[in-house]
Amino acid sequence: MKVRIHVSLKPGVLDPQGRAVHHALEGLGFSGVDDVRVGRLIELDVADDTSQAQLEEMCRKLLANTVIENFRIETMEAAR
Amino acid sequence: MTFRGAVITFPGSNCDRDMAVALEKVSGAPALRVWHGETELPERLDFIAVPGGFSYGDYLRCGAIASRSPIMRAVVGAAERGVPVLGVCNGFQVLTESGLLPGALMRNAQLNFICRTVPLRVENNQSLFTAGYDRGQEIALPVAHHDGNYFADEDTLDRLEGEGRVAFRYLDTCNGSRRDIAGILNAAGNVLGLMPHPERAIEPDHGGSDGRMLFESAVKGLVAA
């Protein structure tokens, strides 16, 4: 089973990387971009019986720092 | 009584030798070296140092993987029993990631790697690590980091300030840290994390000796205890 973990900074936490990317987009002439936040995508290939609780534990224990980051778990259905 | 200090080394640590030398010069006793894969610390430790560097290449987040290494379970246990623990730079990141200290260290607000000597103010001289300084004393220590931007929510910051747990503050904003915090203590006062490098400032020949007092305070306090 493929699982995607989306890790992003919590709202209100300053994202200097996002700010730099935003600035670069403006420099390229892309107008109308209000904000940019840079996150991280982690793809896992796990046993099919891996539970949602186990995935959440992985996120809380290691994959995300919940002081500053939120995470979202996206389970990809196996191709049949 | 002989001082027993230990320095933890992770793959990617690069200030572990400097830290060991600082402990040895100040205490006169050899520093014990502990590899990250160990599950137990040497017995009867007076002091544990988590040094700077780039543990595990900073993969995932700075300090994240190191904080889950086998030896850190023992370090957390020792800290909870009251053994003094000093984390410098990447060591500070490891201590926040391990939950021994609140908050997180984020990418510097200006995005650049900062490598220079910065002025600091000693905010608390009541701790084991800072007792030899005067409160409000201005000192200079080197910093060398990319992710030293201290973040905690407002409630946590208020609590840290209210409990006198801000140990050192930058005099100029160098990395975007909330309230210019450079170093903090845990609630019990036996764990200190700071981004600047006191172990790189123990001899005038190396550009300054303002960091020496931190080690002298700890060694003196522990030997007297």
Side-chain angles (χ1 to χ4, degrees):
Chain A
M1 176 171 72
K2 300 257 189 223
V3 176
R4 284 183 173 167
I5 311 287
H6 300 263
V7 181
S8 54
L9 283 174
K10 287 182 174 175
V13 176
L14 176 71
D15 179 3
Q17 286 164 295
R19 188 177 279 184
V21 173
H22 190 187
H23 186 70
L25 284 173
E26 286 177 336
L28 286 170
F30 293 104
S31 59
V33 179
D34 289 332
D35 194 18
V36 178
R37 309 281 284 173
V38 176
R40 177 187 288 118
L41 172 64
I42 302 168
E43 290 189 336
L44 307 180
D45 198 342
V46 297
D48 285 349
D49 60 355
T50 306
S51 69
Q52 192 72 13
Q54 284 173 307
L55 292 169
E56 285 181 20
E57 198 180 354
M58 291 180 206
C59 290
R60 268 193 297 273
K61 278 198 170 167
L62 180 65
L63 302 179
N65 179 344
T66 55
V67 173
I68 50 173
E69 293 169 334
N70 288 325
F71 62 85
R72 182 166 61 80
I73 299 168
E74 182 189 6
T75 306
M76 321 290 282
E77 290 303 322
R80 297 194 188 274
Chain B
M1 195 178 79
T2 310
F3 178 82
R4 278 172 66 86
V7 178
I8 313 292
T9 301
F10 303 98
S13 295
N14 63 14
C15 300
D16 48 331
R17 187 178 171 280
D18 288 13
M19 185 66 87
V21 168
L23 281 176
E24 286 171 7
K25 290 219 162 162
V26 173
S27 72
L32 304 165
R33 308 294 296 274
V34 182
W35 183 236
H36 70 112
E38 300 285 339
T39 53
E40 286 180 33
L41 290 160
E43 291 180 346
R44 293 183 291 105
L45 284 183
D46 298 310
F47 192 91
I48 301 169
V50 186
F54 297 88
S55 59
Y56 297 86
D58 276 355
Y59 297 143
L60 189 63
R61 297 180 305 276
C62 301
I65 298 178
S67 74
R68 278 74 168 173
S69 66
I71 197 60
M72 280 307 295
R73 280 194 285 277
V75 171
V76 170
E80 287 169 350
R81 288 195 307 276
V83 177
V85 177
L86 168 69
V88 170
C89 200
N90 186 231
F92 186 10
Q93 295 160 347
V94 173
L95 296 184
T96 58
E97 282 281 347
S98 69
L100 283 174
L101 292 170
L105 280 310
M106 300 184 40
R107 181 59 47 95
N108 293 343
Q110 300 83 353
L111 288 172
N112 49 354
F113 189 99
I114 306 167
C115 185
R116 58 185 157 94
T117 297
V118 301
L120 300 164
R121 189 168 57 239
V122 180
E123 296 284 0
N124 168 329
N125 71 340
Q126 303 295 306
S127 81
L128 179 70
F129 308 94
T130 58
Y133 295 103
D134 295 325
R135 185 160 186 270
Q137 184 179 343
E138 293 183 9
I139 62 171
L141 292 179
V143 293
H145 61 244
H146 205 173
D147 297 78
N149 179 354
Y150 183 73
F151 175 88
D153 60 42
E154 288 297 312
D155 287 350
T156 303
L157 292 168
D158 289 343
R159 197 172 72 242
L160 287 172
E161 306 256 18
E163 294 173 357
R165 289 165 57 190
V166 177
F168 297 96
R169 215 184 294 268
Y170 301 108
L171 286 181
D172 59 351
T173 305
C174 71
N175 55 23
S177 288
R178 289 285 170 102
R179 304 191 193 180
D180 293 331
I181 287 171
I184 55 168
L185 293 153
N186 69 340
N190 68 310
V191 178
L192 170 69
L194 75 163
M195 287 313 295
H197 288 270
E199 81 284 5
R200 292 188 189 176
I202 63 160
E203 292 178 296
D205 287 351
H206 292 168
S209 55
D210 285 355
R212 189 178 185 98
M213 187 52 78
L214 191 149
F215 297 100
E216 282 184 359
S217 300
V219 170
K220 210 178 291 173
L222 291 163
V223 171

